[in-house]
Amino acid sequence: MRRVRPGRTVSRGGPGSRAAGEERALTSVAAGDRHRGGEARDLPRLWHVTLSVSGEPAPVAEVRRALEQLAHDHPFLLTSCYAGDHAEIRYWEEARDLHDAAAVALRLWGEHRRTAGLPPWEIVGLEVIDRATYRSRVAAGHGPVPATPVGVHPFP
C-alpha cells in the first residue's frame, strides 16, 4: 500500500488520469453540491420548506398559541403566518434529498397536532426547494426576503 500525504490523492487510472505517481490536491465538495462520482449525493443538504395547511375556522388566539408551541418544540421553524382557517410554515430542513425533506414536511403537522394543540387542518400545499433555488428567487425579488421577521405572525 502506498502512503499519500494528507490532502493529496493518487490517480486510480482510467480516462483523463494522470501519469503514475503524479498527485493532485483534493477539493472539497460542499454538502449542497453534486459530484459526478456520486460521493456527495448521500451528504445532507439544506432544503427550504413551505408547508400550507387549512381547514375549519378556529379561534385565532388558539392558532397562534399552537404555532408558537410548535416553534418552541422545534426551533428550526423560521416563520409562520396564520389566520383563523389557514396557516403557512417556512423552515429549513436538512435531508439527503428532496424526497426525504418532503417526507419529513408531510409528517410535521400530523405528528405534532396533539402535542402542540394544532387545529385539525389538512395539508393543502408543500414546496421544497434547494438552497440555490431559494437564493436565486430572493435575488430576483421573488419569494420571501431574508429580512422577513422570524416568528409567528398573522397574515397581513
Side-chain angles (χ1 to χ4, degrees):
M1 183 166 135
R2 181 175 168 189
R3 286 204 110 160
V4 178
R5 291 190 313 252
R8 305 297 241 168
T9 187
V10 177
S11 174
R12 294 182 186 172
S17 67
R18 291 167 302 284
E22 185 179 349
E23 297 178 349
R24 68 171 173 84
L26 289 175
T27 57
S28 64
V29 178
D33 293 342
R34 292 288 182 167
H35 185 269
R36 286 188 183 153
E39 296 158 5
R41 217 174 284 269
D42 293 331
L43 294 176
R45 298 168 57 188
L46 284 177
W47 301 89
H48 187 266
V49 176
T50 303
L51 183 69
S52 301
V53 295
S54 70
E56 293 295 319
V60 175
E62 288 180 25
V63 173
R64 179 183 181 92
R65 187 214 46 77
L67 289 171
E68 286 173 344
Q69 182 63 48
L70 181 63
H72 179 267
D73 293 345
H74 300 279
F76 58 82
L77 295 177
L78 288 176
T79 186
S80 298
C81 292
Y82 65 92
D85 62 350
H86 65 284
E88 184 176 274
I89 300 168
R90 294 175 183 263
Y91 66 96
W92 288 98
E93 180 67 56
E94 186 175 62
R96 183 176 47 90
D97 58 22
L98 182 135
H99 293 92
D100 289 351
V104 170
L106 290 170
R107 290 191 311 265
L108 177 71
W109 193 262
E111 287 182 356
H112 300 286
R113 208 165 87 192
R114 191 177 40 138
T115 58
L118 298 167
W121 295 343
E122 67 177 327
I123 296 172
V124 295
L126 174 65
E127 179 184 57
V128 181
I129 57 175
D130 66 355
R131 185 170 32 180
T133 302
Y134 175 82
R135 286 180 174 171
S136 68
R137 284 184 182 179
V138 170
H142 306 294
V145 293
T148 300
V150 172
V152 177
H153 309 283
F155 276 109

